[in-house]
């Protein structure tokens, strides 16, 4: 092996030892007649000193430039007292260089590695092989590798089998658009890249594999929002003969173990919260519990007020009126309130009523608000007591359809938490449970809230009688307001699966055509089973504190789903298209 | 958790203990007034006895059928002396059933699990979720999971980082046909699914990751030979600052450790053999060293004989004349020899000359052969001495272009080894090294024998001067005549890469267009690097003794690259095609 040590491994215990390093010239300085090279490798930096005694080596050290690839032989020695660098793993020592070999030269890189902040992301992605040299980028991908390794070990130790499922498969009904792959051997037919291995993992349970996992690539051809990628990675888990408590316990243990191992953080036991409570108190199905603000329902106090904006939703069974108290928020300037009003507008709220609580002892006089005049003082007092308002607070109000109020105040709650630095802890995990089976579409039809294979908490007859009220056996793991993973107990009986398909308006013919193999599988002895999938990219992002999902993927795509480094996607020759029995609808644009 | 134990875990130490099992009814028998259910789960079988004392349970046990999913509570007890089944992990005990619950019913499966041998593979693939219940199928996929887990642990422990590379990428030049994915956001452009992560892993080395691995899905849209799949899995490895000896040592350690761990087999140190020697002695670049037969060159004895079939190739620098001695083969009937003659014809051989050595002491008289009359006795004796022929042997001859002789006699050697049961050991690993850089095409142009990123053993100048003679720094790991993995030290200097591209006839423009990002990467400080890729499916096949690659893949495709279970590929609606800016060349056939 060329090297004896990684740069970052050098320390005082190696003093006087001869070592060999291989790496990149991170920095080069002349100082006091000697040359200093900071050599960089995966594990860190080491300072090598070349003095003029060794003439040839010194001359070569004088000629090397940033990012040259070098091999250095030398002797470790303690740095002089004043020169110790506590910010560097090897900062207590330096290497006196005996021999220097240039393994490869380098042109000046397109951007410097230490002042990258001004470099546009497109340039960094184009030269990703240079961008990944930056220690903070490399650290994220190293941590990603440690995370997957920790997760695999946990699952291996708990009897899970790692089974690969196909990438060339059939369109699955996750709802997003599939990436399609034309088949050469079956002209006019297409494979789809999987949006998840959902049905395959259920079939593995039917096959008796009992505990399955896979760190699986999944694909969605959707317009990319800030934090989406066309291909993403899922920690995919399925088990048989376990109920939701067992599965939550097992996977909670996995995440708790991971945080302990890589961050030395103890997440403790995760609280469980129903979907209904999460919506009611936090206006979200993935509440960030680091944030102490809560929504409080006040409709009962406002049904009779002479102010339709409140009384309308208060009386409507599908309406909601909720308050959000912000401690010490009364000093908030008008301009700020206007900005929040605009912000909740994004979520459909038509306004943002508020009460500034200046001095409660003074009654209505002590309140500053455009709306108090509409509300009888008794009701006002009940409301203020209920939200726990004290002098100096501001209380915001939302009144509209329940969905709009929850979304708008839920988003405002998050925004206020960040704007006002209200977060009370670093990590706040929880389980959200008892989701509804279905959500209503605008046309009154029903969609599955999770996916159509999720088991309900009731019998097929009860489900059929009142699908809108049915709860599912689904569970989501939420951390700091991000959904880390979600899963459910699945339907394992054919009749129940058909009832759900019927409710979703899938015709018997379509059921057979799209899901015939699943219905078959449920017919031949399917065990009770359920599982979960974690978004690995998101998990790594949280653990590493990355700002974007692109920072934790080695070679990510841009917002337009392209790779600027390899120039993918690219043009394909006519022969290839002919072999696939397809033609272009329009000529590709010449770039 | 529903169960307390897996069926296969039950044994005498649990006698008198109450346990709960969950699984499938594997077999059901009435005998002597009691009912026996063999319950099956992932870990094995357990026999449960129901006696009529517990009326309701007995009645239910009487109604269950094969493949019903059940939960059984009962007490473990030793079997009566005569009833112990040594072929069953839990064969020394049985369970006296107290309670029985049917978790799911099952229709009679489309084929019985214990008499599957007559079932066509298409039916088995269509009902893969049932086929995988067969203990021998499940065992192979369980072993596959153990193998990947063992390999990951070895690589983790040796400082390798697991990094994911893209599946939606640009066509790479592995030479096979790519699977293409139309891009919706870049009309007329296509992604390709990777044939290997080759260039990405090289870029990770340029980025300084030092040691990378990935168990990676790869794709080839080729016509499927018996043992190919459109998607396959590769153990992909790349390292920096290591030479070929280091890399071979590391990966040999991995495979040796794996065999020790999962099969308790010590593979010992792998011998190294040059490509030239492998071709000369075994007519193959992946010789099966379990087979003792060897090719022996005899052209020098035949240049002057009056038999053009021999003298022609013997005098041709591109020809070869070789002999293959089969000990005790003289008794081989004429019919068998005719069959072997036909067999070598597949490889282009125009005939198969032979000498049966009946009694060497008698000279030419003691030889039975259509060709001895053409060969002077002195030369004949040198040849027979050289191959070590003794009485009772048969010696086959091949004479033609070197490639044809090596392929034909190499294949005959393998066939004879199996037909005559000559294999001398169970496992024979080796490294093949010193491959040529290029092979000549029929039109005289050159192709890369490995891939165009493989480093030569010589300087760019020497390479340019005589590319045909250059050796590469490539290495293949071979086990029992199967190539398990192959790799090389890569080119890390831009100039050398350009020389290789030039030799391959890739124009400067094409170099820039297809490999611009690689050439860029080599310009900005690429370290010396190299790696290897193992075919995981093939490795699992060898370790499990499977007959086909389809047995070690959970959901394989058929020979026509289709999934008969999910009916993939499938028809896609017109809207989806429109969004992808493509149309069909012809209408899909209605099935």
């Amino acid at each position: 092996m060329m090297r004896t040590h990684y740069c970052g491994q050098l320390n005082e215990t190696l003093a006087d030892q001869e070592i060999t390093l291989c790496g990149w010239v991170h920095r080069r300085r002349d100082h006091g007649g000697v040359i200093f090279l900071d050599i960089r490798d995966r594990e860190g930096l080491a300072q090598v000193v070349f003095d003029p005694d060794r003439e040839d080596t010194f001359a070569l050290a004088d000629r090397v430039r940033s990012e040259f690839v070098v091999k250095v032989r030398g002797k470790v020695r303690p740095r002089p007292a004043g020169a110790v660098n506590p910010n560097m793993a090897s900062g207590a020592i330096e290497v006196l260089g005996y021999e220097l070999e240039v393994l490869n030269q380098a042109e000046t890189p397109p951007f410097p590695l230490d002042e990258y902040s001004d470099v546009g992301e497109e340039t960094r992605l184009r030269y990703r092989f240079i961008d990944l040299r930056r220690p903070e980028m490399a650290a994220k991908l190293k941590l990603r590798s440690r995370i997957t390794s920790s997760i695999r070990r946990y699952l291996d130790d708990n009897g899970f089998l790692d089974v690969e499922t196909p990438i060339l498969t059939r369109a699955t009904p996750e709802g997003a658009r599939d990436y399609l792959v034309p088949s050469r051997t079956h002209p006019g037919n297409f494979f789809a890249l999987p949006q998840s291995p959902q049905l395959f993992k259920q079939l593995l349970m039917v096959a008796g594999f009992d505990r399955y996992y896979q760190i699986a690539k999944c694909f969605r051809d959707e317009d990319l929002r800030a934090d989406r990628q066309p291909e993403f990675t899922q920690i995919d888990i399925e088990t048989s003969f376990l109920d939701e408590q067992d599965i939550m316990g097992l996977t909670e243990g996995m995440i708790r173990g991971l945080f302990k191992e890589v961050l030395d953080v103890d997440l403790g036991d995760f609280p469980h919260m129903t979907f209904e409570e999460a919506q009611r108190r936090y206006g979200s199905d993935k509440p960030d519990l680091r944030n102490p603000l809560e929504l409080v329902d006040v409709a009962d106090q406002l049904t009779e007020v002479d102010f339709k904006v409140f009384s309308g939703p208060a009386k409507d069974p599908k309406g909601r009126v909720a308050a959000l108290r912000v401690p010490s928020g009364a000093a908030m300037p008008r301009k700020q309130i206007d900005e929040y009003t605009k912000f909740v507008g994004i979520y459909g709220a038509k306004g943002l009523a508020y009460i500034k609580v200046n001095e409660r002892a003074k009654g209505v006089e002590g309140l500053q608000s455009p709306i108090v005049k509409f509300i009888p003082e008794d009701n006002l007092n009940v409301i203020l007591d209920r939200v726990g308002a004290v002098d100096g607070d501001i209380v915001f109000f939302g009144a509209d359809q329940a969905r709009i109020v929850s979304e708008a105040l839920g988003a405002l709650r998050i925004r206020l938490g960040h704007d006002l630095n209200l977060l009370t802890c670093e990590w706040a995990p929880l389980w959200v449970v008892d989701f509804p089976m279905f959500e209503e579409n605008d046309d009154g039809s029903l969609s599955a809230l999770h996916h159509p294979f999720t088991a309900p908490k009731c019998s097929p007859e009860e489900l059929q009688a009142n699908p809108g009220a049915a709860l599912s056996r689904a569970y989501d793991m939420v951390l700091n307001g991000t959904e880390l993973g979600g899963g459910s107990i699945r339907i394992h009986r054919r009749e129940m699966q058909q009832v759900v398909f019927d409710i979703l308006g899938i015709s018997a013919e379509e059921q057979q055509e799209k899901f015939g193999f699943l219905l078959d599988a449920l017919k031949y002895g399917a065990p009770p089973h359920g599982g979960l999938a974690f978004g690995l990219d998101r998990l790594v992002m949280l653990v590493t504190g990355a700002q974007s999902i692109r920072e934790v993927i080695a070679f990510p795509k841009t917002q337009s789903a392209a790779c600027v480094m390899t120039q993918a996607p690219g043009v394909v020759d006519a022969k290839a298209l002919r072999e696939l029995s397809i033609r272009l609808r329009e000529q590709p644009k010449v770039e």
Side-chain angles (χ1 to χ4, degrees), chain A:
Chain A
M1 315 241 171
M2 288 191 195
R3 66 157 72 84
T4 59
H5 294 80
Y6 281 114
C7 296
Q9 290 175 332
L10 299 186
N11 59 38
E12 304 91 307
T13 66
L14 297 168
D16 287 326
Q17 218 165 295
E18 236 187 73
I19 53 95
T20 304
L21 303 175
C22 290
W24 285 258
V25 175
H26 192 64
R27 231 177 267 114
R28 187 190 150 288
R29 306 189 301 287
D30 294 291
H31 188 69
V34 299
I35 296 170
F36 293 91
L37 297 185
D38 282 353
I39 307 298
R40 187 191 67 237
D41 64 24
R42 194 179 87 182
E43 302 301 325
L45 292 170
Q47 173 173 296
V48 186
V49 188
F50 294 92
D51 63 37
D53 294 358
R54 294 165 204 267
E55 226 172 278
D56 292 353
T57 305
F58 185 83
L60 186 55
D62 195 38
R63 284 199 305 274
V64 302
R65 293 291 171 267
S66 276
E67 300 308 314
F68 273 36
V69 186
V70 296
K71 179 177 167 184
V72 175
R73 194 172 63 77
K75 199 170 78 173
V76 178
R77 66 182 187 194
R79 293 201 196 184
V84 168
N85 180 351
N87 298 321
M88 198 165 158
S90 70
I93 58 93
E94 63 186 11
V95 175
L96 178 63
Y98 291 165
E99 270 176 47
L100 174 64
E101 187 185 341
V102 172
L103 298 172
N104 209 354
Q105 306 202 335
E107 292 187 11
T108 305
F111 50 88
L113 295 193
D114 40 3
E115 296 158 42
Y116 62 95
S117 52
D118 291 340
V119 182
E121 195 181 14
E122 175 128 354
T123 305
R124 287 171 49 196
L125 287 175
R126 173 153 181 217
Y127 297 100
R128 187 67 166 178
F129 42 87
I130 292 174
D131 193 37
L132 289 177
R133 285 183 191 166
R134 292 194 291 111
E136 55 275 43
M137 286 301 288
K140 290 190 188 97
L141 287 163
K142 278 167 70 177
L143 197 47
R144 181 177 179 127
S145 179
R146 273 188 69 198
I147 289 170
T148 54
S149 162
S150 161
I151 284 170
R152 288 181 186 283
R153 258 199 320 278
Y154 180 89
L155 293 169
D156 286 349
D157 291 348
N158 279 282
F160 284 80
L161 300 178
D162 180 2
V163 183
E164 295 176 60
T165 55
I167 297 291
L168 293 171
T169 180
R170 195 190 154 95
T172 44
E174 266 81 4
R177 202 183 283 109
D178 288 312
Y179 276 103
L180 297 178
V181 183
S183 161
R184 183 175 53 84
T185 46
H186 297 81
N189 286 262
F190 293 77
F191 293 103
L193 303 184
Q195 295 184 37
S196 92
Q198 181 62 34
L199 293 179
F200 288 109
K201 67 177 175 173
Q202 292 191 231
L203 294 176
L204 287 173
M205 294 304 104
V206 176
F209 279 52
D210 208 71
R211 295 187 174 200
Y212 143 95
Y213 87 96
Q214 185 183 193
I215 297 191
K217 270 283 172 77
C218 304
F219 305 84
R220 284 187 190 180
D221 185 12
E222 290 297 308
D223 297 314
L224 303 184
R225 286 190 267 137
D227 230 11
R228 287 264 181 100
Q229 283 282 309
E231 56 183 290
F232 55 99
T233 306
Q234 202 162 284
I235 306 164
D236 199 44
I237 289 172
E238 195 80 4
T239 66
S240 298
F241 304 114
L242 296 185
D243 67 20
E244 38 282 65
Q245 302 307 323
D246 299 328
I247 296 172
M248 285 190 271
L250 256 173
T251 52
E252 181 178 321
M254 178 178 91
I255 297 296
R256 197 163 37 230
L258 172 70
F259 272 72
K260 187 72 199 157
E261 187 180 334
V262 305
L263 294 178
D264 198 25
V265 163
D266 182 3
L267 293 179
D269 286 335
F270 297 11
H272 290 212
M273 185 180 290
T274 65
F275 174 84
E276 187 277 325
E277 182 181 351
Q279 289 288 356
R280 181 163 43 80
R281 294 176 58 190
Y282 307 105
S284 168
D285 58 357
K286 41 178 193 285
D288 185 347
L289 297 190
R290 296 174 304 172
N291 182 327
L293 304 183
E294 287 195 28
L295 279 59
V296 176
D297 277 286
V298 295
D300 60 312
Q301 297 301 315
L302 300 163
T303 47
E304 304 306 323
V305 299
D306 192 18
F307 181 47
K308 284 228 176 90
V309 171
F310 278 6
S311 62
K315 281 189 283 198
D316 180 353
K318 291 187 171 179
R320 183 176 188 187
V321 187
L324 182 70
R325 176 179 79 98
V326 185
S328 314
M332 198 176 282
R334 178 73 215 199
K335 221 180 95 186
Q336 186 63 50
I337 296 175
D338 289 346
E339 203 182 309
Y340 289 142
T341 308
K342 206 180 286 175
F343 176 72
V344 295
I346 300 172
Y347 300 89
K350 290 186 275 293
L352 181 65
Y354 66 89
I355 300 176
K356 285 185 173 180
V357 183
N358 294 329
E359 204 176 342
R360 276 201 69 179
K362 286 191 184 164
V364 178
E365 293 303 301
L367 305 177
Q368 182 186 340
S369 165
I371 58 162
V372 287
K373 58 176 179 270
F374 301 116
I375 309 174
E377 193 163 354
D378 284 358
N379 300 104
L380 209 49
N381 274 323
V382 172
I383 290 171
L384 292 177
D385 286 348
R386 194 180 284 168
V387 301
V390 297
D391 293 354
D393 292 352
I394 188 169
V395 182
F396 289 109
F397 291 85
D400 210 313
Q401 291 167 44
R403 194 182 50 75
I404 291 176
V405 170
S406 299
E407 280 187 15
L409 287 190
L412 179 62
R413 174 182 169 271
I414 298 293
R415 168 111 191 243
L416 287 164
H418 287 105
D419 285 358
L420 306 177
N421 271 317
L422 299 175
L423 305 193
T424 56
C425 60
E426 204 180 351
W427 302 104
L430 80 155
W431 287 102
V432 178
V433 296
D434 286 353
F435 288 86
M437 272 294 278
F438 303 104
E439 55 187 350
E440 207 178 303
N441 301 318
D442 291 339
D443 65 358
S445 66
L446 296 177
S447 294
L449 194 76
H450 277 80
H451 55 56
F453 318 111
T454 304
K457 290 192 125 178
C458 58
S459 70
E461 296 73 26
E462 289 166 320
L463 185 65
Q464 224 151 7
N466 192 357
L471 297 182
S472 75
R473 298 178 67 184
Y475 34 81
D476 278 2
M477 186 191 283
V478 174
L479 180 64
N480 294 0
T482 295
E483 184 197 322
L484 271 194
S488 61
I489 300 298
R490 327 297 183 186
I491 295 168
H492 72 287
R493 293 218 172 94
R494 186 186 163 101
E495 312 76 58
M496 179 69 96
Q497 187 63 72
Q498 283 172 324
V499 167
V500 170
F501 284 153
D502 290 344
I503 290 170
L504 293 172
I506 304 175
S507 70
E509 197 185 5
E510 200 182 345
Q511 289 177 29
Q512 201 48 48
E513 194 220 309
K514 281 197 183 160
F515 305 110
F517 63 101
L518 175 68
L519 294 171
D520 268 359
L522 298 183
K523 182 166 83 179
Y524 290 119
H529 63 287
L532 202 103
F534 289 94
L536 177 64
D537 309 293
R538 197 70 31 117
L539 175 63
V540 175
M541 217 181 123
L542 274 172
V543 172
T544 60
Q547 293 305 304
S548 138
I549 212 169
R550 295 185 296 283
E551 290 178 25
V552 298
I553 295 175
F555 300 101
K557 302 284 191 296
T558 61
Q559 296 267 353
S560 75
C563 172
V564 287
M565 183 183 71
T566 60
Q567 309 268 306
V571 174
V572 160
D573 67 23
K575 175 167 166 284
L577 297 186
R578 214 159 40 235
E579 286 182 329
L580 296 175
S581 306
I582 59 172
R583 52 174 104 234
L584 299 184
R585 196 164 276 270
E586 42 190 308
Q587 290 305 310
K589 289 181 199 98
V590 178
E591 287 176 42

